[in-house]
Amino acid sequence: MIKVHLSKLLGERKMKISDLANATGLHRNGLSKLYNENTDGIKFETLEKICKALDCEIADLLEIIEE
């Protein structure tokens, strides 16, 4: 299973989903799905935009959890 740490990263930066949407140009609905871990996939371009906007590495955003 892959854990998405978007909510944690936004919380640490005191950002809202709408702030990230404005910074990246990504749709709020898609970011909300990631935030709530309600998605079954993500594009590389999306990962890149999020990581650049949050100044983080992909490993900070995603983690593999053994089930």
Side-chain angles (χ1 to χ4, degrees):
M1 179 172 93
I2 295 179
K3 172 87 173 148
V4 181
H5 295 292
L6 184 58
S7 61
K8 175 184 156 194
L9 291 171
L10 289 179
E12 290 172 353
R13 288 157 177 78
K14 295 181 174 55
M15 290 178 71
K16 298 177 186 174
I17 294 171
S18 58
D19 298 328
L20 185 59
N22 290 334
T24 60
L26 297 169
H27 292 277
R28 180 176 159 70
N29 290 346
L31 291 173
S32 292
K33 286 182 179 181
L34 281 174
Y35 183 92
N36 294 309
E37 299 187 67
N38 249 354
T39 187
D40 59 356
I42 184 172
K43 292 182 177 182
F44 290 145
E45 180 182 359
T46 301
L47 282 174
E48 181 181 3
K49 287 180 179 183
I50 292 171
C51 288
K52 284 183 177 180
L54 297 178
D55 191 29
C56 69
E57 299 293 324
I58 292 173
D60 299 327
L61 183 61
L62 302 175
E63 178 184 8
I64 296 175
I65 305 288
E66 298 297 327
E67 294 186 34

